[in-house]
Structures are given as C-alpha cells and as structure tokens.
Amino acid sequence: MKGIVIKSTGSWYSVRLANKELIEARIKGKFRLKGIKSTNPIAVGDVVTLKEEEDGTAVINAIDKRKNYIIRKSVNLSKRSHILAANVDQAILVVTLSQPKTYTEFIDRFLVSAESYHIPTIIVFNKIDIYSDEEKEELAFLKYCYENVGYQCLTVSATEQTNIDSIKEVMKGKVSVISGHSGVGKTTLLNTIEPTLDLKTSEISEMHLQGKHTTTFAEMFELSFGGYLIDTPGIKAFGLIDFKKEELSHYFLEMRELLNDCHFNNCVHINEPKCAVKNALENDEIPAFRYNNYVSIYNGDDDENYRGLGY
Ligand code: ZN
C-alpha cells in the first residue's frame, strides 16, 4: 500500500493512507538516496510504499521519486543537510511593511531559494490595516514590481480577517509551505485560515529556537477546505541549494529572460559592457532594488546569516 508521510519524529513516521487512515511506520535497514547527504532519509511530503505488520504498525519499503524537496543546510561540520519537506507545490512567504518591516533583500533571497528548488512563491503582505500612507504607497509599488516579475501577491490582515479567503483560494488542493521571519504574524494568519489547526508554533518559540542546533521536524496538516500545509517550526527561511553564483541571475526571473541578449555569454551583469540586464535597469525595466539585491546576494553579503538560522 501507499501513503504520504505527514509527520516524522526521527525513527517513526505517521503516514496517511489513501483511505485517510493514519498508520505509524518505520524503516527497516538502510535507506540511501542518490545525491543527497541528509540526516533524514524520509521527509514530510514523501510518498512511500509500505507493508503492514502484525502489530498494526507498518514498514516503509520504498519511496517515490520526489518532485522537489527543500533542505536546511547543516550548521555543523558534518556537511549533511536536513530535508525539511518533499513534494511541495508552492511556498507562501508572509511579509509585512510595518512592525516589523520585511526588507526586499529578505524577500529576494527567499525567492532565489524557492526558484532554485523549482517552487513557485506567493507573497502575502500582512498587517495592511496598520500601514501608514507612505507604507501603503510602498505596498502598491512592491506589489506592482513583484507581479510584473510574475509573482502573485496578496494583501491581507490576519487580525482584521481581511482577504483571508484569497489565501484559502490559493492554498486549496495544494501542498504549501509557509514562511516568514519573526513578527510578521504567521501564526495568527494560520490560525485565522484554519482555526482548528491550533498550531503549536508560536513566534516566541521560534525566537527560542534561534541559534540552537536542534533538529526540527516539519509537520503536515490537512486543511478542511482541501490541501495541505507544511509548517516548519523554527525555520524562517530555507537555505540556498548549491549553485554557482554565476547562475544567480537564472533565479531572478526578469533577468533570466534577458540572459541571451548580453554581449558576453558568461556575463554576470555587474561590470561587463553591453549587458542586457544593466540596460534594462537603466531603462527602468528592472527595479533598482531588485538589481541591488542581486548584487548583494552575488557578493555573498550576509551569506552566513542566511544559511544558518540567524534571520
Ligand atoms: Zn549581463
């Protein structure tokens, strides 16, 4: 029989079967997956084949090929990564322009990661009820820019329950991971979307986890209106997958379209002449903040912080 892993505690996995029944399962023997040095062989979201044992538990025999997966880079010397979740349809990035402000560099670093994992992102601007006139203008500008790049943007207020249906609409029938740094109101938002979830992750416990090298396991929740939500306690952003920094512009969607037009085919769009990206920047076709964030990520500024849990 087959099922989907919705929770893992290290040695046991809760697997939801096609008939919606839950079964506790474990792995027998060694499980090795090609190309990934990970501390956990099976993650939440994995589709597995299992066999029921006499005591009512089950043994996992095989794991289906993953559509994608997200990892947390190791923070110690073992260089092994922890797979947070597999087979993710979309990421929902919760941001806010007030109390506390989310900087576009945080947004763009997240988008680059998500693009590198081939996971589409929806940007949710929360707390719109408390924005000043200036912040409202900034919201309109950022929404325009990100929508132009191709990202869906939603504007909501979790506390005022404004536009909550728009989030439900995009989550319906999909497997979503939800992210955002401390204070953006992620937990309030999730509890508004699905009050029965009663999420254990509080923003306080997230802050508690900061800097600790604890192994955190994601959990997958079934949504009453259809779909799944993967919550990853203590993780505000996931790590960048390994790629050469020369490829960074592939993950800035508006730049990717221009790459063939640069004069040099190994152009990294910083000092090269006849660069299509810099041309587009000069013609206001690429917003300056996006380009500046590109340069900052390219130069590895704050990389250390980003790869760890330090945000
Ligand atoms: Zn270029």
Side-chain angles (χ1 to χ4, degrees), residues 262 267-269 275-277:
C262 290
C267 186
V268 296
H269 330 295
C275 166
V277 169

Side-chain angles (χ1 to χ4, degrees), residues 26-32 41 59-60:
R26 64 208 153 91
I27 310 166
K28 257 189 193 162
K30 284 215 164 173
F31 241 79
R32 249 167 220 269
V59 171
I60 296 172

